[in-house]
Amino acid sequence: MFGFQGLTETAEISLGVVKRLNDATQAITKLNESLRLAPERVREGWIERAVLAEAVSSARLSGDYVIPEDLRLVAFDAYDGPISNEMSRTADLLPFLRVASRRSPRQMFTPLRLVAMTRLRLKAKSGTGFQTSWISAGQREQRDFDDIRYGLEEVFSAENVSRWKGIPPLMAAAEILYLWNTSGCDEMISPEAGRVLASAWLARSGLTEKAWVMISTGFHEDVFSFSPGPDSRWHRKFARGVELGCLGTYGLLNRLEAAHRAFEEVDFSMRSSSNLPRVVDLLFKRIAVTTTTASTELGISSRACANILERLLHDGPKIKERPVVQELTGRSSFRVYGIV
């Protein structure tokens, strides 16, 4: 065993923790390289779907149970039933997580910049989801921003950031989550923001290009393991959760790549001017598509979009006898399509 200057002065890294850190690092590297080499539409589609899974898992860590298929329709304003408070809160997370997965990690680690980001979220128009996902309700007065600034300065002090650069990135990310809770930032801002910043640190350290590690996802099946603390037990739990999350989202990437290959193998016998390839691209990049959204985004008629989507539904590629493109609502009108 050997010592390190980490969560506590007396913390040590056991061989068991080292193995967990190595396993998690390998899983992160595998996911990052695969995403980097993936076709653009597959990578963009992965972000959309991984963010959906991360939002569901974040809700679970907060004690809320949300069905992913329902969230997909709620996020697309295509859900028929009443929307619960839990579902609404989870849907509010999606824009925040999307932005975080595309933002440069170097934009996230100075307290003043984080406070500025917090202010921008509060000024965002209603319905963007940033008000509830980035900062807790009620933190709107100047003294609240002062408390937030003090909390952020405690977590992201120059001393802490300097120390994190000298220890394994996963251990630094684990410490960010521990300090996020003990400083009160989890209540003043949000617990989800802390997990995003921990993922962003992994990207800043060079393990990933962007904040592609979906931390909550790895704790979905064992929420009680997510218990940030000042000792090696938390390092081990955190590394294992990160590994599981990366393995799960890597499986998602594999399925999208399989769908991509299936489309490449199908001969639709189309004219060179056909809009079908553009609709297929949109199906990859969005978690759900309707004739209206396809028409608006692609600039083609609703009738043409409807014909293409129905053709893909009935004559499109299959994987293990299951159509790649499916209708998500079971309705005969106002239909919603997606790659499942």
Side-chain angles (χ1 to χ4, degrees), residues 92-93 95-97 99-100 103 107-111 113-124 128-137 139 145 148 152 156 180 185-197:
D92 282 344
L93 286 176
F96 169 63
L97 294 173
V99 170
R103 183 182 291 274
Q107 298 174 353
M108 297 188 184
F109 288 97
T110 63
R113 184 168 288 175
L114 285 167
V115 170
M117 289 170 63
T118 300
R119 290 182 182 275
L120 287 174
R121 298 303 181 263
L122 289 175
K123 292 178 181 178
T128 61
F130 288 130
Q131 294 96 322
T132 55
S133 62
W134 180 253
I135 185 169
S136 300
Q139 301 287 343
F145 280 110
I148 290 170
L152 291 172
F156 299 106
W180 191 259
C185 286
D186 59 330
E187 295 183 359
M188 291 187 294
I189 301 177
S190 76
E192 296 83 14
R195 293 192 282 272
V196 164
L197 289 168

Side-chain angles (χ1 to χ4, degrees), residues 7 33-34 89 92 146 167 279 284-285 318 323-324 328:
L7 293 179
E33 286 303 301
S34 298
R89 284 195 297 268
D92 282 344
D146 290 340
I167 63 176
V279 174
F284 272 95
K285 293 179 180 180
K318 296 182 179 181
V324 174
L328 305 178

Side-chain angles (χ1 to χ4, degrees), residues 54-309:
E54 178 71 358
V56 170
S57 297
S58 286
R60 193 172 178 86
L61 288 178
S62 298
D64 295 335
Y65 182 75
V66 173
I67 299 173
E69 293 78 11
D70 290 348
L71 178 61
R72 184 186 225 183
L73 295 177
V74 168
F76 208 71
D77 198 24
Y79 187 68
D80 285 335
I83 299 175
S84 66
N85 291 333
E86 293 85 352
M87 182 70 75
S88 180
R89 284 195 297 268
T90 308
D92 282 344
L93 286 176
L94 294 173
F96 169 63
L97 294 173
R98 287 192 193 104
V99 170
S101 66
R102 292 177 170 89
R103 183 182 291 274
S104 169
R106 296 192 177 276
Q107 298 174 353
M108 297 188 184
F109 288 97
T110 63
L112 290 178
R113 184 168 288 175
L114 285 167
V115 170
M117 289 170 63
T118 300
R119 290 182 182 275
L120 287 174
R121 298 303 181 263
L122 289 175
K123 292 178 181 178
K125 292 182 179 179
S126 177
T128 61
F130 288 130
Q131 294 96 322
T132 55
S133 62
W134 180 253
I135 185 169
S136 300
Q139 301 287 343
R140 285 172 169 76
E141 298 183 12
Q142 181 59 46
R143 65 174 180 273
D144 296 321
F145 280 110
D146 290 340
D147 290 341
I148 290 170
R149 188 180 73 251
Y150 297 146
L152 291 172
E153 288 174 348
E154 179 181 340
V155 177
F156 299 106
S157 67
E159 179 185 359
N160 283 344
V161 173
S162 177
R163 185 178 69 254
W164 295 338
K165 292 178 181 178
I167 63 176
L170 281 164
M171 297 185 75
E175 181 174 349
I176 288 172
L177 289 169
Y178 170 64
L179 295 177
W180 191 259
N181 287 2
T182 58
S183 67
C185 286
D186 59 330
E187 295 183 359
M188 291 187 294
I189 301 177
S190 76
E192 296 83 14
R195 293 192 282 272
V196 164
L197 289 168
S199 178
W201 181 265
L202 299 178
R204 175 173 172 162
S205 301
L207 288 183
T208 57
E209 289 191 10
K210 298 288 177 64
W212 288 341
V213 175
M214 304 295 168
I215 289 175
S216 303
T217 302
F219 293 90
H220 186 88
E221 299 298 332
D222 187 8
V223 296
F224 296 108
S225 290
F226 189 84
S227 53
D231 52 40
S232 61
R233 287 176 297 180
W234 167 233
H235 296 152
R236 189 164 50 248
K237 292 176 183 178
F238 178 70
R240 179 57 175 164
V242 167
E243 181 188 2
L244 290 174
C246 287
L247 291 175
T249 51
Y250 179 75
L252 168 62
L253 180 61
N254 278 341
R255 293 191 292 275
L256 282 171
E257 288 181 328
H260 173 74
R261 291 191 297 270
F263 270 106
E264 289 190 327
E265 294 170 359
V266 173
D267 180 12
F268 286 103
S269 300
M270 55 193 176
R271 300 188 305 272
S272 59
S273 60
S274 173
N275 287 301
L276 188 146
R278 298 174 65 204
V279 174
V280 171
D281 277 347
L282 192 64
L283 282 165
F284 272 95
K285 293 179 180 180
R286 300 287 181 269
I287 56 176
V289 172
T290 66
T291 56
T292 301
T293 56
S295 175
T296 301
E297 292 202 35
L298 301 178
I300 56 181
S301 70
S302 295
R303 180 180 292 275
C305 289
N307 290 338
I308 292 172
L309 288 167

